[in-house]
Amino acid sequence: MTTGVIPGGQPPEPRPQRPQLPEQRREPDGPQGLHVDNRTRSSVITARAAASFEPLGRSVATARSFVRDTLQGWGFGDIVDDAVVLTSELVTNAVVHAGTAADVLCLRSDDGVRIEVADRYPEREVPLQSAAVNMGSPDREGGRGLQLCAALAGRWGVEYTPTHKNVWFQLDLPERPVGTRAAGPVVPAELLPIADGRVRVAVVQIDRGGSITAWNEDAEELFGYAAEQVVGKPLTDLAAWPHTPGTGTGIAEALQLSRWEGSYGIRGAHGRVIPVYASHLRVRDTGGEPSTVCLLVRDHERAVLQSPLRVPSSGDTGAAADGAGTDPFEVFIGSPAPDDLDGLLQRTVERARDMLDGDAAFLLLATDDETELEVRASTGLPSARQRFARVPVEAGPGRYGSARMPAVHDDLTAAPGAVPLLGGTGMRSVVTVPLKVEGRLTGSLGVAAEAPGRYSNEEALRLQFAADRIALAVESARLGELERLRRGSLSFLVEASDLLAGTLDRDQTLALMAQMTVPTLATWCAVYTIADQASEPYLSYVLHEDEELIDGIKSLLSKISPPDPVPTPGARVWSAPGEAAHQAALRTSMRSLSLGDSHHRIGTTIGPTLATASAVGGETVVLPLVARNRVIGMLTLGKPTDEHFRQEILELAEDLSRRAALALDNARLYSERTAISQSLQRSLLPPGLPQIDGVEVEVIYRAAGEGNEVGGDFYDLFPIRDGAYGFAIGDVCGTGPEAAAVTGLARHALRLLAREGYDGPAVLERLNSAILDEGARSRFLTLLYGELRPQEDGSAELKVVCAGHPLPLRLRQDGTVESAAEPQPLLGVMEDLDLYEQTVILDPGDVLLCVTDGVTERREGTRMLGDDGLADVLTTCTGLTAGAVAARIMRAVERFASDAPSDDMAILAMRVPEVGRH
């Protein structure tokens, strides 16, 4: 910024007149009747100041300060506020909306001040004189500066050139006696304030504990107490405090402020309350001990102490007249007020900043328990870094100790922790006021400036008055937002519960947990799982809303120690990922300094590292996954650089973590039970089929039911002795674990008895007795058992017993199919069985097919495959290997009906190869 000031004396050379084009001045017209003076400057210029401002957002605040300092230096304090407001709007249009530099020129003359704001927008259209002026709504950015000029300035105008636009306005000085800088109006003597004889000013000094330490003679005269009667007593014993309208501040709080001014009452010695007007000043002695000096006069003599109000300008007077009865909330916020909470808060901080001519403003809202304040809106601050940051309210290091009452800080460098939000922002002075509704702290509003000593208690009272006007509207909008968030949270949790309950797969549960949190609750998340109490947390799943960053985050998290599995509920901050990402990015950047022109290496190392650091550089929180009184993992949620979590989001994440933990533990238990069940079921199946010289054997087994590997059907093929092999295929009544238990008994009993040398009938009779011994747990069993002996001539001899089982079918080489055994009683029903075995010779090329009733009883509506249907399929298998025969039978069974099989199925095919085709 460049400035130049020429005080009074010879008038300076006027600014060179820009070449004017015909019809380059526009005179607004229309129903508003705006007065525009396009006359050339004819008044004598006694001083001028000029400055140029770069197209940066901060230039607006700098321009306001420039105009304020200039006019105050000229002694024009009466018109400073109007000039600052108009300059702020016009410079904003130039540096923010037009994106060009702005030139500000202040001219002092004998009849007022003229201020010109020029921008350098090269593509601006030169308007025609006949074009009507349409300045739009006062709440739109475009045209608002011209409306304000029309409302506040005595004269104003717009000058155009092809490369510049110059908006000027003139503010006339109010008439006042020569030689005074500020004075009240001259009024008749009868209108002057009345004082009863001598005006008495009570001087009372209060120590840091609120007790009276000094009491002068005027105080004795006004209130009737001698000094020795009140010294040492708290002022609150004498004060009748009705709360000064518009502040909501108590006397104890007022005594702690650096300055305060207002009215209350003092209870005199006669017992009556004497209304007083007071001015408090906080001081400290040479030893650093603070105290408060109170000056008090009778309330009707308040003119002795009361700070003079700003003389309203002509524009203000008109506005006040037009706006009589206007809601103060609408005056501050504007009309129409924003419907959404964020819009209302943002407009609040912008208006508060403009009202106190600040460089920055911020607004914090209280959490539900009112122990913390959360940043919800700011202007002039790095909002991305500050938004949703939380600050504890109670006093102490790093806490917001001044949140519950107005406070003015002349220099934050002297008390750097007073307003933690402003740390590192360059702000020096700040005024903060509480937002209260029915005595509850609902938020805090603050305005800050880069220069020290910018604010006094007068600004604090003005800001408090505005805060009291908007507190109820803000609280109403906040409660509405909370209600919407809660309804949305309930819907989110219901949907999440349904999704989590819909799966018992551990990996799918982990994926669902991550997908429900990203991006709804967080930018990225990681899930750690803990197998048992002796195990370390294991990084099981990582997800980011940008899939290209997942590998980088996973690599980063795998290199740092996982968070401690603390069972304490609630989210806790975990700083390790952000610190590790910062260090990794720093190391990579340092290494890159020696890479020279190796752009390829730079692109492949610095890029991902810096991207990862940015992705995890914000706030990271850890929530424990607790199920059945045990920590089974941790859910880690993260934000990108400089972002924070809202309290409502953390509460929602905590609810989700509880549901997710139970779902994850259920998936774990289900996986464990399934693994145990499958292990036991596999133990009921043969370990493998033996290779038999001269005989092809193939088995196909299908258990009904999801997750079942073994049911009521079973098969077996095992060596007995001297080249003989036992084979069996059976069907226990029913399916599931109960049937599988009888299956295990039958299979192991068959092997044991057969190897003891018993023949087929004896083996089955003893198995029948063992099944009956099970009592209530017994199940009847159909069983085909036989012994197989390959013969030297290439045939095979089979001795079979068919105990209630579907009869085995024999396929000859000529394609004929016949039964290979006779039916006999099933097992597990009666004690005495009279069984016998039958001998079957399989010639080369013959096939013996054994199945369970799940094959023959395959149904489609009223149709059933049956024995005849099975025989028809088998006739088409001539010349096929045993494996091909079993596969064709299974394919025919599956195609017979469209529904999934409801019964277990087992197919055992044995074939004697033709000679020369082994």
Side-chain angles (χ1 to χ4, degrees):
M1 181 184 76
T2 59
T3 63
V5 178
I6 304 175
Q10 286 298 110
E13 291 295 327
R15 174 184 295 174
Q17 294 293 321
R18 303 184 182 96
Q20 299 294 312
L21 298 179
E23 299 181 349
Q24 284 182 344
R25 296 175 181 268
R26 55 190 300 178
E27 298 186 4
D29 53 8
Q32 293 178 331
L34 303 178
H35 174 65
V36 183
D37 188 352
N38 288 317
R39 297 174 298 172
T40 59
R41 296 192 295 270
S42 59
S43 301
V44 176
I45 299 174
T46 58
R48 79 172 183 176
S52 297
F53 302 94
E54 297 298 323
L56 301 172
R58 189 170 294 277
S59 295
V60 179
T62 309
R64 288 199 300 264
S65 299
F66 164 69
V67 172
R68 178 176 291 277
D69 294 342
T70 299
L71 298 190
Q72 286 178 342
W74 290 347
F76 296 159
D78 295 334
I79 60 174
V80 163
D81 288 344
D82 290 343
V84 166
V85 168
L86 296 178
T87 303
S88 178
E89 290 293 337
L90 298 178
V91 173
T92 299
N93 289 340
V95 302
V96 176
H97 302 303
T100 75
D103 298 329
V104 178
L105 175 64
C106 300
L107 300 173
R108 184 181 72 182
S109 64
D110 52 0
D111 58 351
V113 172
R114 174 180 171 124
I115 298 178
E116 300 181 1
V117 179
D119 63 42
R120 308 167 188 173
Y121 194 61
E123 298 178 3
R124 187 180 303 278
E125 180 182 355
V126 177
L128 298 177
Q129 185 176 9
S130 59
V133 177
N134 181 14
M135 293 182 285
S137 168
D139 288 302
R140 294 184 56 189
E141 294 296 334
R144 189 169 62 186
L146 300 183
Q147 279 201 335
L148 289 174
C149 288
L152 300 180
R155 293 184 295 276
W156 67 281
V158 184
E159 299 173 356
Y160 286 96
T161 72
T163 58
H164 288 73
K165 184 188 81 169
N166 183 39
V167 181
W168 62 270
F169 60 89
Q170 181 163 330
L171 299 174
D172 298 328
L173 296 176
E175 295 184 3
R176 56 188 178 181
V178 177
T180 62
R181 292 177 59 88
V186 177
V187 296
E190 61 269 15
L191 298 180
L192 294 175
I194 298 176
D196 297 335
R198 173 188 168 190
V199 175
R200 298 186 181 274
V201 179
V203 180
V204 183
Q205 194 157 359
I206 313 296
D207 64 14
R208 68 162 61 199
S211 298
I212 299 172
T213 60
W215 184 269
N216 73 343
E217 294 178 358
D218 280 357
E220 294 182 9
E221 183 67 26
L222 284 174
F223 308 122
Y225 297 106
E228 56 269 17
Q229 291 179 278
V230 294
V231 170
K233 291 184 177 181
L235 181 62
T236 54
D237 290 352
L238 303 179
W241 190 268
H243 291 293
T244 299
T247 65
T249 303
I251 186 170
E253 297 172 336
L255 292 174
Q256 298 297 318
L257 298 175
S258 60
R259 290 189 64 89
W260 186 87
E261 189 176 314
S263 60
Y264 52 95
I266 295 293
R267 189 172 290 103
H270 45 63
R272 294 191 298 272
V273 174
I274 302 171
V276 298
Y277 192 84
S279 176
H280 298 175
L281 176 64
R282 189 87 162 151
V283 298
R284 62 184 176 88
D285 58 23
T286 54
E289 185 67 17
S291 61
T292 303
V293 177
C294 305
L295 305 180
L296 304 97
V297 297
R298 294 182 181 92
D299 191 60
H300 63 273
E301 298 171 344
R302 65 169 57 197
V304 175
L305 299 179
Q306 189 170 24
S307 299
L309 300 177
R310 180 175 69 89
V311 178
S313 66
S314 58
D316 291 338
T317 304
D322 294 340
T326 304
D327 184 0
F329 170 80
E330 294 294 342
V331 172
F332 181 68
I333 292 299
S335 179
D339 295 331
D340 61 307
L341 176 62
D342 288 337
L344 176 61
L345 299 182
Q346 192 61 37
R347 187 179 294 183
T348 298
V349 296
E350 291 172 356
R351 296 293 169 88
R353 178 202 61 193
D354 294 342
M355 183 178 73
L356 298 189
D357 189 23
D359 297 314
F362 53 89
L363 192 148
L364 302 90
L365 291 184
T367 56
D368 287 343
D369 57 5
E370 299 181 6
T371 61
E372 289 185 310
L373 293 175
E374 187 177 62
V375 179
R376 291 300 303 271
S378 65
T379 181
L381 296 174
S383 57
R385 175 171 68 88
Q386 304 292 353
R387 186 167 170 80
F388 299 126
R390 294 180 300 280
V391 184
V393 176
E394 288 78 7
R399 294 173 181 264
Y400 202 168
S402 59
R404 297 190 183 276
M405 60 182 181
V408 178
H409 298 278
D410 289 334
D411 195 346
L412 288 177
T413 58
V419 185
L421 175 66
L422 299 180
T425 62
M427 300 297 161
R428 295 284 297 277
S429 55
V430 61
V431 53
T432 62
V433 296
L435 275 69
K436 291 185 177 180
V437 175
E438 298 179 350
R440 295 186 302 105
L441 177 69
T442 60
S444 178
L445 176 63
V447 178
E450 293 181 346
R454 282 282 296 277
Y455 303 112
S456 65
N457 275 23
E458 181 183 354
E459 283 82 7
L461 288 173
R462 291 175 61 195
L463 189 62
Q464 183 68 73
F465 184 81
D468 290 342
R469 301 285 75 75
I470 67 169
L472 185 60
V474 169
E475 178 67 2
S476 177
R478 185 180 77 92
L479 293 177
E481 181 191 67
L482 284 176
E483 182 62 25
R484 290 190 296 272
L485 285 174
R486 284 168 181 158
R487 287 199 300 266
S489 299
L490 289 175
S491 300
F492 173 79
L493 291 174
V494 168
E495 183 179 356
S497 299
D498 290 342
L499 289 173
L500 291 171
T503 178
L504 288 173
D505 181 82
R506 175 183 175 276
D507 293 338
Q508 189 173 356
T509 302
L510 290 173
L512 282 174
M513 289 171 57
Q515 292 165 5
M516 284 185 292
T517 56
V518 176
T520 305
L521 305 182
T523 305
W524 64 272
C525 85
V527 183
Y528 291 85
T529 56
I530 303 175
D532 52 61
Q533 295 181 352
S535 301
E536 291 293 323
Y538 174 75
L539 183 60
S540 299
Y541 202 93
V542 175
L543 184 65
H544 190 281
E545 61 183 7
D546 184 353
E547 294 184 356
E548 295 182 356
L549 298 177
I550 294 177
D551 291 338
I553 297 177
K554 187 181 299 183
S555 175
L556 175 71
L557 295 178
S558 64
K559 295 175 182 177
I560 62 177
S561 300
D564 296 330
V566 178
T568 306
R572 68 182 193 276
V573 177
W574 185 32
S575 59
E579 294 173 355
H582 175 74
Q583 293 298 326
L586 182 61
R587 288 193 300 270
T588 304
S589 299
M590 294 296 291
R591 286 196 301 268
S592 69
L593 297 178
S594 61
L595 295 181
D597 296 330
S598 180
H599 299 290
H600 175 72
R601 291 180 61 188
I602 293 177
T604 57
T605 57
I606 295 182
T609 303
L610 294 180
T612 302
S614 176
V616 303
E619 189 174 38
T620 302
V621 297
V622 178
L623 297 105
L625 298 175
V626 181
R628 298 177 174 90
N629 298 321
R630 187 174 74 87
V631 180
I632 64 171
M634 286 88 71
L635 177 63
T636 302
L637 306 179
K639 287 280 190 180
T641 299
D642 298 334
E643 289 196 20
H644 298 265
F645 286 97
R646 294 188 60 181
Q647 187 63 32
E648 294 83 359
I649 294 297
L650 293 180
E651 293 172 358
L652 180 58
E654 186 177 355
D655 285 341
L656 177 63
S657 68
R658 287 194 290 266
R659 289 166 168 77
L662 187 59
L664 184 61
D665 199 47
N666 288 339
R668 177 187 63 83
L669 293 175
Y670 177 78
S671 298
E672 291 179 356
R673 301 297 188 274
T674 301
I676 293 172
S677 174
Q678 291 175 346
S679 178
L680 292 175
Q681 291 182 54
R682 282 191 292 270
S683 69
L684 303 179
L685 296 175
L689 297 178
Q691 295 292 329
I692 304 176
D693 294 337
V695 179
E696 298 175 1
V697 179
E698 183 63 30
V699 173
I700 296 179
Y701 184 83
R702 296 285 188 274
E706 183 179 357
N708 292 328
E709 294 190 19
V710 177
D713 290 7
F714 69 96
Y715 68 93
D716 202 359
L717 181 64
F718 55 90
I720 301 177
R721 60 188 179 280
D722 301 333
Y725 294 85
F727 67 91
I729 183 170
D731 184 3
V732 179
C733 174
T735 59
E738 295 82 2
V742 178
T743 296
L745 171 65
R747 194 176 72 81
H748 292 294
L750 287 175
R751 287 198 172 210
L752 178 63
L753 294 173
R755 287 171 177 172
E756 288 295 322
Y758 293 101
D759 59 9
V763 168
L764 268 60
E765 289 169 0
R766 286 165 174 75
L767 175 59
N768 180 63
S769 299
I771 294 174
L772 293 175
D773 289 343
E774 292 293 309
R777 295 181 300 175
S778 64
R779 300 264 178 141
F780 64 81
L781 167 67
T782 68
L783 180 65
L784 172 64
Y785 173 75
E787 294 182 1
L788 168 66
R789 291 178 182 271
Q791 303 296 313
E792 294 182 358
D793 60 358
S795 63
E797 180 186 52
L798 288 79
K799 295 182 178 180
V800 298
V801 179
C802 186
H805 197 76
L807 300 179
L809 298 179
R810 176 180 180 179
L811 172 64
R812 296 184 180 274
Q813 278 189 303
D814 58 3
T816 58
V817 175
E818 60 186 8
S819 299
E822 296 178 355
Q824 300 186 57
L826 51 77
L827 307 181
V829 178
M830 48 189 174
E831 296 183 358
D832 297 328
L833 294 178
D834 185 14
L835 302 175
Y836 58 91
E837 62 182 8
Q838 296 174 272
T839 302
V840 179
I841 302 296
L842 293 181
D843 296 326
D846 289 353
V847 175
L848 184 70
L849 177 66
C850 309
V851 299
T852 58
D853 59 4
V855 174
T856 56
E857 295 179 3
R858 177 74 164 148
R859 295 179 180 274
E860 173 69 20
T862 58
R863 299 186 305 117
M864 186 174 71
L865 180 63
D867 296 334
D868 294 338
L870 179 63
D872 292 340
V873 176
L874 185 59
T875 58
T876 65
C877 298
T878 303
L880 299 180
T881 63
V885 171
R888 178 169 293 186
I889 297 298
M890 178 56 71
R891 189 161 52 250
V893 172
E894 291 175 343
R895 290 177 177 176
F896 187 81
S898 57
D899 296 337
S902 58
D903 195 3
D904 304 327
M905 292 187 294
I907 300 173
L908 171 62
M910 292 181 289
R911 177 177 181 272
V912 178
E914 299 177 29
V915 178
R917 299 185 63 179
H918 292 280

